[in-house]
Amino acid sequence: MIPVDPDRFLADLHRLREFGAAGVGKGVMRPAYGEADIEAREWLVSRIEQAGLIPRVDPMGNVFGLAEGRSLLVGSHSDTQPEGGWLDGALGVIAGLEIARAAREAGGPPVSMVSFQDEEGRFGAVTCSAVFSGLLSREEADRNVDADGITLAEARAAMADMSGGYVDPAWFSGFMEMHIEQGLTLDEAGEAVGVVTDIVGSRMLEVTLRGRQNHAGTTLMHQRRDAFQGLAAFCVALNGRLEEIVTPRTVWTIGRVQLHPNAPSIVPGEVRFTVQWRDSDADRLDRIEQSVRGLLDEICAGRGLESELKPLGDLSPVPMDGRFRMALAAAAEEEVPGRWRDMPSGALHDASNLAPVLPTGMLFVPSIGGISHDFAEDTEEADLVLGLKVLAGAVARIA
Amino acid sequence: MIPVDPDRFLADLHRLREFGAAGVGKGVMRPAYGEADIEAREWLVSRIEQAGLIPRVDPMGNVFGLAEGRSLLVGSHSDTQPEGGWLDGALGVIAGLEIARAAREAGGPPVSMVSFQDEEGRFGAVTCSAVFSGLLSREEADRNVDADGITLAEARAAMADMSGGYVDPAWFSGFMEMHIEQGLTLDEAGEAVGVVTDIVGSRMLEVTLRGRQNHAGTTLMHQRRDAFQGLAAFCVALNGRLEEIVTPRTVWTIGRVQLHPNAPSIVPGEVRFTVQWRDSDADRLDRIEQSVRGLLDEICAGRGLESELKPLGDLSPVPMDGRFRMALAAAAEEEVPGRWRDMPSGALHDASNLAPVLPTGMLFVPSIGGISHDFAEDTEEADLVLGLKVLAGAVARIA
């Protein structure tokens, strides 16, 4: 057993939200490498020192609190969306700090903690855990640019005075991450925690449909090749096609749409949109892609449109380690009997990058109303503490 | 008979396209009150003087070439879209110049010509013919602003040194306008001219659908209130609903669409779009509106969305004068027997503003490929000359 201190854990969690506090509820604005994010990381280093752990900030800005010798790594990320919630990755970081601290105070087992940098994707997505695990080269990461054209190399220069050497994943025996669910499942079921079975894979296509731009008053309906009508027909028909393929947890989204010329009195000559789908099963991702591509061909053939497809992302489903899942399940059943479930993660996490190089487990706590990436994001403090205890119980079983 | 000179007409038409020439095909960039537009109007005044007509530029920038005494007014507009074609309104202006000039040379009948200002809507739509006819007050027009926040009052100050007094519609016995069709009907049928029966009315609503913005990975399909899915369902269902209401010439368009937050991994919480429909029959416009509103209510009720509707335009259908139509039809049958038709105008024109105050007629010539508001806009010169002759024949019959 690792004797975690719920009050100290909650106090640190509330202290962390003061860095970049939005002034709206508990909301936080702490994007990666911004002033608030760097100040928060400096504070983390001071808490790591106070806990008697060895601080190490790697050149990417990942902050580690290291136990001596080979240890289990626990953590998440402390950067936020431009307008984010107070928990998100911060919860997992402070949980990691508390468990590593409590384990050290108890004389073992050896537990290290981490706050990865740029999980929220200012420069991509889960950027710096990908560099840590070797899935993304440092050179490639450094060339990534944010929405303002700043490179990651330029941004991380602001942390240069903090940084030491790189940390090797081989120093660790595994990785554990706690995170808010960011969905409604646990909240609606009244359950305390979810043991993540796998992080779903996702595919995304950027589709451009091209028809013919025309005057909306003088071009009769049968003369039109309206690109937006093509998208609307695709959107509705896709829902029908997918019914026979999907499970209740499969999701698909048309989230970004741009018409050209986007004027009320002009028949849209072009529309560009993203279609994204997520599922735990790689084969199902394939079958959905076939359905999407086939339907687009049919829509174009029937309407005199042309399509151009550009893959924008292809992430394979990532299963969590079986032993780590069992440790989390056993700890959950002890702490909150009957009030937990196995569930996939629909969102991407740092754990996705760690799983290929280390045995990895992940735990969810409920999100009130399923709200996240929003100032209103929240979780009952009692549930935060239950999550901490389940995580600590699982760490004790493994480490 | 009015002995028009086709060569002089074509030479003036080509001369006019030098003002604001885009350097791409015959394309023209001559928006209202811009440098090229004002230079073109100065040149028009010089041609009016050379023709022995009385030049008059009213304070709005409408350029008149007046015959002595009560006369028939013939013309259109010489401003263009930011990226426009060489014919559009310029054709009707030079046709008016040639007919007024030829009529004067022949000793009658008295014919005046006009180039209205800002038909293309830098400051609204058909702005300065609306002021001429009294449908829009000068004060209200002056307050209209363009996309850069410049008021019409500020813009027309650039023409102050040219301007004389206002012109009274009562000085004229009627108005005739020639224009390119801007659609495919005449081109596809191989016909030379179209006699406009009426200018169709139009309605437009700006619709906002509000659902719930959510994470596209963690929000299951049955938990979503996706505003864009609501729009797609509306778009497809509307096509079905309208089948029982419309004629083959009714048109409807969803031309402008804006999602919020418009990001690939976020379920769209809001979509704002325009839906516009046009028809010659006011009652049918009403029935379509009922269908649009009813369907939006159903879509929202079924999907947990909220809608907000803002009317953006309501133009009644404008019938052309019966005697003017008959004169145009008789002239067409004489000049191009069997190669003309009666047809509505799907686009708005200056004639829409003149019809309430003067007997008004309108004639179309073919648009190659139906292309307009585009550098590629064109019409065979033989068809331009046939249009001129039919218009002159109709003017001779009336004046």
Side-chain angles (χ1 to χ4, degrees):
Chain A
M1 201 194 99
I2 300 172
V4 291
D5 179 342
D7 293 337
R8 185 170 59 176
F9 160 72
L10 289 173
D12 277 348
L13 201 49
H14 281 289
R15 175 73 183 95
L16 179 51
R17 75 174 169 86
E18 292 173 19
F19 297 95
V24 179
K26 297 177 188 160
V28 174
M29 301 186 291
R30 202 165 59 220
Y33 305 109
E35 204 173 311
D37 170 61
I38 294 176
E39 284 172 9
R41 286 173 192 271
E42 287 167 345
W43 170 79
L44 262 181
V45 166
S46 73
R47 293 302 277 161
I48 288 164
E49 286 168 343
Q50 288 159 18
L53 299 162
I54 305 159
R56 168 71 69 86
V57 181
D58 78 9
M60 303 308 293
N62 297 318
V63 174
F64 294 84
L66 300 171
E68 279 170 41
R70 187 174 166 83
S71 61
L72 184 72
L73 185 65
V74 184
S76 185
H77 64 95
S78 57
D79 61 303
T80 74
Q81 288 281 328
E83 299 190 352
W86 73 299
L87 297 170
D88 203 296
L91 171 64
V93 169
I94 300 301
L97 173 66
E98 178 55 30
I99 293 170
R101 180 163 56 190
R104 188 172 188 285
E105 287 164 355
V111 178
S112 298
M113 59 76 63
V114 64
S115 168
F116 288 112
Q117 180 59 295
D118 196 31
E119 195 270 353
E120 296 291 4
R122 178 176 165 193
F123 294 100
V126 290
T127 317
C128 295
S129 58
V131 173
F132 168 72
S133 67
L135 298 181
L136 177 66
S137 77
R138 297 164 194 173
E139 296 70 27
E140 201 176 332
D142 267 347
R143 284 194 296 269
N144 285 359
V145 292
D146 72 2
D148 297 323
I150 297 168
T151 65
L152 193 156
E154 289 162 347
R156 72 181 174 86
M159 294 186 68
D161 61 339
M162 297 173 68
S163 75
Y166 282 98
V167 172
D168 188 337
W171 298 357
F172 306 103
S173 57
F175 176 66
M176 278 283 196
E177 179 170 11
M178 177 156 82
H179 204 281
I180 54 168
E181 180 200 333
Q182 304 179 282
L184 278 165
T185 302
L186 295 174
D187 189 42
E188 285 188 349
E191 292 170 342
V193 297
V195 175
V196 175
T197 52
D198 43 76
I199 297 175
V200 305
S202 72
R203 301 269 175 90
M204 179 151 67
L205 290 172
E206 184 185 72
V207 182
T208 306
L209 295 180
R210 293 197 181 87
R212 193 168 51 193
Q213 180 176 328
N214 271 124
H215 191 296
T218 57
T219 313
L220 303 184
M221 298 311 279
H222 77 272
Q223 296 165 337
R224 297 185 178 195
R225 299 195 334 235
D226 183 325
F228 181 70
Q229 291 280 338
L231 166 56
F234 168 76
C235 180
V236 170
L238 185 66
N239 296 341
R241 293 283 172 100
L242 294 188
E243 268 175 23
E244 310 210 336
I245 301 177
V246 299
T247 76
R249 293 204 72 93
T250 312
V251 293
W252 61 100
T253 307
I254 294 172
R256 189 171 70 199
V257 175
Q258 184 59 52
L259 277 63
H260 182 83
N262 209 30
S265 294
I266 302 184
V267 178
E270 183 179 303
V271 63
R272 183 169 297 177
F273 63 96
T274 54
V275 54
Q276 180 198 77
W277 57 101
R278 307 194 191 205
D279 196 90
S280 302
D281 181 58
D283 181 56
R284 192 172 293 113
L285 291 173
D286 281 342
R287 279 184 288 152
I288 294 172
E289 179 155 354
Q290 286 160 18
S291 204
V292 165
R293 288 178 178 267
L295 180 59
L296 283 169
D297 285 346
E298 289 172 40
I299 296 269
C300 287
R303 293 168 176 264
L305 304 175
E306 288 174 8
S307 68
E308 187 181 319
L309 276 63
K310 183 175 157 194
L312 277 195
D314 181 356
L315 295 167
S316 299
V318 177
M320 296 293 97
D321 179 81
R323 193 167 62 97
F324 280 41
R325 276 178 59 183
M326 285 178 63
L328 286 163
E333 188 55 31
E334 182 177 310
E335 196 66 48
V336 287
R339 291 190 55 231
W340 65 279
R341 70 167 64 200
D342 284 327
M343 63 185 295
S345 167
L348 197 62
H349 294 289
D350 289 314
S352 309
N353 286 329
L354 278 286
V357 295
L358 286 174
T360 294
M362 192 159 188
L363 185 73
F364 279 160
V365 295
S367 292
I368 296 173
I371 297 167
S372 79
H373 291 181
D374 191 300
F375 293 154
E377 171 195 291
D378 211 353
T379 301
E380 297 292 346
E381 294 200 351
D383 286 331
L384 298 177
V385 170
L386 287 175
L388 173 71
K389 289 182 175 172
V390 171
L391 190 67
V395 168
R397 279 169 171 81
I398 288 171
Chain B
M1 202 194 98
I2 300 172
V4 290
D5 179 341
D7 293 337
R8 185 169 60 177
F9 160 71
L10 289 173
D12 276 347
L13 201 50
H14 281 288
R15 175 73 183 95
L16 179 51
R17 77 174 166 87
E18 293 173 18
F19 298 95
V24 180
K26 298 176 187 163
V28 175
M29 301 185 292
R30 204 165 59 221
Y33 305 110
E35 205 173 309
D37 170 61
I38 294 176
E39 284 173 8
R41 287 173 192 271
E42 287 167 345
W43 170 80
L44 263 181
V45 166
S46 72
R47 294 302 278 160
I48 288 164
E49 285 167 344
Q50 287 159 17
L53 299 161
I54 304 159
R56 167 72 70 84
V57 181
D58 79 9
M60 303 308 293
N62 297 319
V63 174
F64 294 86
L66 301 170
E68 279 170 39
R70 187 172 165 83
S71 60
L72 185 71
L73 185 64
V74 185
S76 186
H77 65 94
S78 58
D79 62 303
T80 74
Q81 287 282 329
E83 299 190 351
W86 73 298
L87 297 170
D88 203 295
L91 171 65
V93 170
I94 300 300
L97 173 65
E98 178 54 30
I99 293 170
R101 179 163 58 190
R104 188 172 188 284
E105 287 165 353
V111 178
S112 298
M113 59 76 61
V114 65
S115 169
F116 288 113
Q117 182 57 297
D118 195 31
E119 195 270 354
E120 296 292 3
R122 177 175 165 194
F123 295 100
V126 291
T127 318
C128 296
S129 58
V131 173
F132 167 73
S133 67
L135 298 182
L136 176 66
S137 79
R138 297 164 194 174
E139 295 70 25
E140 201 176 330
D142 267 346
R143 284 193 296 270
N144 285 358
V145 291
D146 71 3
D148 297 323
I150 297 167
T151 65
L152 193 155
E154 289 162 347
R156 72 180 174 86
M159 295 186 67
D161 60 340
M162 298 172 67
S163 76
Y166 281 99
V167 172
D168 187 339
W171 297 356
F172 306 103
S173 57
F175 176 66
M176 277 283 196
E177 180 171 11
M178 178 157 80
H179 204 281
I180 55 167
E181 181 202 333
Q182 305 178 281
L184 277 165
T185 303
L186 296 174
D187 189 41
E188 285 188 348
E191 293 170 342
V193 297
V195 175
V196 175
T197 53
D198 43 74
I199 297 173
V200 304
S202 73
R203 301 268 175 89
M204 179 150 68
L205 290 172
E206 184 184 71
V207 181
T208 305
L209 294 181
R210 291 195 184 88
R212 191 168 52 192
Q213 179 177 328
N214 271 123
H215 192 296
T218 57
T219 314
L220 303 184
M221 299 310 280
H222 77 272
Q223 295 165 336
R224 297 185 178 195
R225 300 194 334 236
D226 183 326
F228 181 70
Q229 290 279 340
L231 166 56
F234 168 75
C235 181
V236 170
L238 185 65
N239 296 340
R241 294 283 172 99
L242 295 187
E243 268 174 22
E244 309 209 337
I245 302 177
V246 301
T247 76
R249 294 204 71 93
T250 312
V251 292
W252 61 99
T253 307
I254 294 171
R256 189 172 68 198
V257 175
Q258 184 60 53
L259 276 64
H260 183 83
N262 209 31
S265 293
I266 303 183
V267 178
E270 183 179 304
V271 62
R272 183 167 296 176
F273 62 96
T274 54
V275 53
Q276 180 198 76
W277 57 100
R278 307 192 191 207
D279 196 273
S280 302
D281 181 59
D283 182 56
R284 191 172 294 113
L285 290 173
D286 282 342
R287 279 183 288 152
I288 294 171
E289 179 154 354
Q290 286 160 20
S291 203
V292 165
R293 288 177 178 269
L295 181 57
L296 283 169
D297 286 345
E298 289 173 40
I299 296 270
C300 287
R303 293 168 176 265
L305 304 176
E306 288 175 8
S307 68
E308 187 180 320
L309 277 62
K310 183 175 156 196
L312 279 195
D314 181 356
L315 295 166
S316 298
V318 177
M320 296 292 98
D321 179 81
R323 193 168 63 96
F324 280 42
R325 277 179 57 183
M326 287 179 61
L328 285 162
E333 188 55 30
E334 182 178 310
E335 196 66 49
V336 287
R339 293 190 54 230
W340 65 278
R341 70 167 64 198
D342 284 328
M343 63 186 295
S345 168
L348 197 61
H349 294 287
D350 290 313
S352 309
N353 285 330
L354 278 286
V357 295
L358 287 174
T360 293
M362 191 158 189
L363 185 73
F364 279 160
V365 296
S367 293
I368 296 173
I371 297 167
S372 79
H373 291 181
D374 190 300
F375 292 153
E377 171 196 289
D378 212 354
T379 301
E380 298 290 346
E381 294 201 350
D383 285 333
L384 298 177
V385 170
L386 287 175
L388 173 71
K389 289 181 174 174
V390 171
L391 190 69
V395 168
R397 278 169 170 80
I398 289 169

